[in-house]
């Protein structure tokens, strides 16, 4: 009975169309975009303000300023004391936070639906009326430096990742860590913070996403009241970034650290991002990542290297196309005890080549399509996940239609398109291969 039920569920998920969410969108006179996602199952609302400004938009020499400003936005404004926004949200039974990525910075509150006007008042206030002091800079700069110490300096894997990214992107700012290079973070100033704030924190560079138990007309009225009076930035620059030169040679690096407990090999390739109106290649790469390494027990790499040959304790493939500019496709292998990194890399290469030669297993392909479709359906149950989905997409160059078309584009990917996308994995001249090791295994390089 259980097996029959699962089969019926799978067939239902594969054949049922994914209904679009109830979404309304507007643009205020000052250029601020407003997106409303209705969900009336619970009297809760999520407000998110997304700025089209992230770590990759920083000027040279001030790496980490986008993340630093995220911290500083919880300081005082014309109408709020430092910390008052978060305290007020908590006092009303809600939660709030913020995060910085390469392409955006976002601030959010989750609160009872009848408190939407309250959080809009406070969020609008800090969009234009932040009041920073030299003491704020000194205090919060120490905070982000300690954050870097904890998350990066004390982690060999994090340090290794920074070095790999820098090797991957020789010209593009994606090669600079979001948190910033430590020596530049230590010099960030009040002037640096205000310059970034005044340049990018403006209604015509922001997207307001409200999801939950709301009516679009009510949200629009509140947005016009609280955000509408804010002046836009008249000379807001277009997002223009440098591009990567063609990669002509394989890039390799080894990072050795005595603190490493489990050596591994990772290879990443520059790969196309999801582009508005043309997401087919990104969909093929998404399917390729799932087929090769999405699940350790059922994926191509997992079955072959972890279970059949027992030469690896972990394998993975990854790709995230939600990016304004070129992203990466990656492969990972953690060799079993007694298997060198050189041998692990060779096993990985062989497994990928065999996959391309043999083609896609039809049964596994159908199963993965069903799983992806199911995950997209379940994603609709979380209003904050939906707000995140649309906000990250729209600040990464995609449209509402692109987001809504994505599930069907994934389902339409063919096995031939997946194999075609995989062909790039045979060309190491397009890749960065990294070994994370202990000092006593560095002699394996070149074997």
């Amino acid at each position: 009975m259980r097996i029959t039920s699962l089969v019926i569920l799978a067939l239902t998920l594969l054949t049922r169309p994914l209904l679009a969410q109830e979404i309304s969108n507007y643009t205020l006179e000052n250029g601020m975009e407003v997106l409303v996602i209705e969900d009336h199952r619970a009297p809760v609302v999520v407000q998110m303000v997304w700025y089209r400004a992230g770590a990759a938009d920083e000027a040279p020499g001030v790496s980490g300023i986008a993340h630093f400003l995220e911290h500083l936005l919880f300081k005082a404004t014309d109408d709020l004391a430092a910390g008052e926004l978060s305290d007020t949200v908590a006092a009303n039974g809600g939660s709030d936070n913020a995060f910085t990525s390469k392409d955006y910075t976002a601030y959010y509150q989750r609160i009872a639906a009848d408190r939407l006007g309250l959080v809009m008042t406070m969020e609008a206030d800090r969009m234009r009326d932040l009041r920073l002091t030299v003491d704020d800079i000194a205090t919060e700069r120490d905070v982000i430096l300690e954050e870097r110490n904890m998350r990066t300096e004390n982690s060999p894997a994090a340090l290794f990742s920074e070095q790999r990214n820098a090797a991957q992107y020789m010209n593009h700012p994606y090669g600079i860590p979001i948190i910033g290079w430590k020596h530049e973070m230590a010099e960030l100033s009040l002037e640096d913070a205000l310059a970034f704030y005044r340049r990018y924190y403006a209604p015509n560079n922001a997207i307001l996403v409200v999801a939950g138990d709301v009516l679009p007309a009510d949200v629009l009225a509140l947005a016009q009241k609280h955000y509408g009076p804010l002046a836009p930035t008249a000379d807001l620059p277009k997002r223009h970034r440098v591009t990567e030169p063609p990669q002509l040679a394989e890039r390799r690096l080894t990072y050795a650290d005595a603190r490493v407990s489990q050596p591994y090999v990772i290879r990443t390739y520059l790969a196309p991002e999801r582009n508005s109106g043309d997401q087919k290649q990104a969909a093929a790469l998404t399917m390729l990542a799932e087929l090769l390494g999405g699940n350790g027990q059922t994926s191509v790499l997992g079955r072959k290297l972890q279970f059949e040959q027992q030469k690896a304790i972990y394998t993975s493939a990854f790709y995230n196309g939600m990016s304004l500019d070129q992203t990466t496709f990656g492969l990972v292998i953690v060799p079993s005890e007694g298997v060198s990194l050189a041998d692990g890399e060779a096993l990985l290469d062989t497994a990928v080549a065999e996959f391309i030669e043999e083609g896609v297993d039809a049964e596994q392909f159908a199963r993965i399509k069903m799983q992806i479709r199911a995950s997209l359906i379940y994603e609709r149950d979380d209003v904050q996940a939906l707000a995140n989905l649309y906000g990250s997409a729209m600040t990464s160059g995609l449209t509402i239609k692109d987001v809504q078309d994505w599930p069907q584009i994934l389902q339409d990917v063919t096995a031939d398109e997946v194999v075609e996308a995989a062909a790039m994995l045979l060309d190491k001249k397009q890749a960065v291969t990294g070994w994370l090791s202990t000092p006593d295994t560095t002699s394996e390089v070149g074997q």
Side-chain angles (χ1 to χ4, degrees):
M1 288 296 293
R2 176 171 172 76
I3 294 175
T4 302
S5 298
L6 289 174
V7 171
I8 292 173
L9 173 62
L11 291 173
T12 301
L13 291 173
L14 282 171
T15 58
R16 185 175 66 188
L18 264 176
L19 300 176
Q21 293 86 15
E22 291 295 328
I23 293 177
S24 304
N25 64 297
Y26 314 92
T27 301
L28 304 184
E29 290 186 7
N30 59 12
M32 187 174 190
E33 293 186 56
V34 180
L35 188 69
V36 184
I37 306 171
E38 292 183 71
D39 187 325
H40 301 288
R41 293 174 298 175
V44 175
V45 68
V46 174
Q47 174 187 233
M48 302 193 78
V49 171
W50 298 75
Y51 292 96
R52 292 184 177 92
D57 298 294
E58 298 165 341
V62 291
S63 63
I65 193 65
H67 173 252
F68 188 31
L69 184 60
E70 176 213 311
H71 280 243
L72 293 170
L73 232 69
F74 291 86
K75 300 297 183 181
T77 68
D78 281 352
D79 300 325
L80 297 169
E84 185 177 349
L85 186 151
S86 295
D87 291 343
T88 302
V89 171
N92 282 270
S95 60
D96 77 307
N97 214 325
F99 49 88
T100 305
S101 185
K102 295 175 181 178
D103 297 318
Y104 51 76
T105 309
Y107 302 83
Y108 69 88
Q109 301 86 33
R110 184 183 181 98
I111 202 163
D114 61 359
R115 304 292 197 276
L116 179 59
L118 171 65
V119 293
M120 271 199 189
T121 301
M122 297 186 291
E123 193 64 78
D125 186 43
R126 66 177 175 177
M127 180 178 287
R128 281 308 213 185
D129 294 331
L130 188 63
R131 293 292 174 260
L132 298 176
T133 67
V134 174
D135 288 342
D136 290 333
I137 298 299
T139 301
E140 210 60 37
R141 190 170 53 211
D142 287 342
V143 171
I144 61 169
L145 284 168
E146 181 57 27
E147 182 179 342
R148 181 180 168 90
N149 285 336
M150 293 176 60
R151 296 185 177 182
T152 306
E153 304 296 332
N154 290 332
S155 169
L159 291 169
F160 175 51
S161 179
E162 278 191 347
Q163 296 299 306
R164 286 191 302 99
N165 284 334
Q168 188 90 67
Y169 294 97
M170 297 179 64
N171 197 42
H172 193 281
Y174 283 173
I176 299 172
I178 293 172
I179 198 169
W181 297 116
K182 188 172 184 179
H183 67 287
E184 292 185 348
M185 295 168 63
E187 301 297 326
L188 294 177
S189 67
L190 175 61
E191 291 73 23
D192 295 329
L194 290 176
F196 196 85
Y197 177 68
R198 290 166 179 161
R199 184 179 182 90
Y200 293 114
Y201 279 56
N204 53 327
N205 198 42
I207 302 170
L208 170 66
V209 181
V210 176
D213 189 21
V214 291
L215 295 175
D218 294 341
V219 174
L220 178 59
L222 286 171
Q224 290 172 329
K225 176 182 177 181
H226 297 292
Y227 294 104
L230 301 179
T233 294
D235 57 348
L236 183 69
K238 291 185 178 180
R239 300 182 91 176
H240 177 73
R241 295 173 180 164
V242 297
T243 56
E244 279 294 298
Q247 184 173 339
L248 304 178
E250 180 185 5
R251 299 171 195 164
R252 301 185 66 89
L253 70 159
T254 298
Y255 185 82
D257 193 306
R259 297 171 295 176
V260 172
S261 59
Q262 187 63 67
Y264 62 84
V265 178
I266 179 171
R267 182 181 300 134
T268 50
Y269 303 76
L270 280 182
E273 72 282 6
R274 285 170 61 183
N275 288 309
S276 183
D278 182 14
Q279 303 181 83
K280 287 186 65 175
Q281 193 171 11
L285 289 168
T286 299
M287 289 296 182
L288 175 62
E290 288 297 318
L291 283 163
L292 284 178
N295 182 296
Q297 293 183 322
T298 60
S299 66
V300 170
L301 298 178
R303 288 202 318 265
K304 183 164 293 187
L305 301 181
Q306 294 175 232
F307 293 96
E308 294 175 12
Q309 300 180 18
Q310 297 185 0
K311 297 291 187 178
I313 60 173
Y314 175 79
T315 56
S316 179
F318 59 89
Y319 168 79
N320 182 3
M322 194 78 81
S323 176
L324 189 63
D325 298 317
Q326 273 189 307
T327 185
T328 56
F329 186 101
L331 302 168
V332 179
I333 181 169
V334 181
S336 300
E337 186 176 356
V339 179
S340 70
L341 293 180
D343 288 342
E345 182 181 341
L347 288 164
L348 187 66
D349 290 339
T350 300
V352 170
E354 289 174 349
F355 167 77
I356 294 172
E357 177 67 25
E358 296 167 2
V360 177
D361 179 271
E363 184 178 347
Q364 185 191 18
F365 197 32
R367 181 173 62 250
I368 286 175
K369 283 191 174 185
M370 183 272 289
Q371 291 170 344
I372 289 177
R373 191 172 188 85
S375 70
L376 292 172
I377 291 173
Y378 299 147
E379 190 175 56
R380 291 166 51 88
D381 284 336
D382 186 339
V383 292
Q384 188 156 338
L386 284 175
N388 269 303
L389 173 64
Y390 281 93
S392 59
M394 294 178 71
T395 48
S396 300
L398 300 177
T399 65
I400 294 172
K401 186 176 186 302
D402 291 326
V403 176
Q404 294 177 336
D405 288 347
W406 180 242
Q408 189 57 52
I409 293 173
L410 287 171
Q411 295 303 311
D412 291 342
V413 172
T414 67
D416 288 342
E417 288 170 337
V418 171
V419 173
E420 182 180 346
M424 72 171 183
L425 304 181
L426 296 176
D427 186 4
K428 290 186 181 180
K429 288 188 297 184
Q430 301 298 318
V432 175
T433 303
W435 290 12
L436 179 65
S437 67
T438 55
D440 61 335
T441 61
T442 57
S443 61
E444 295 177 355
V445 177
Q447 292 183 2

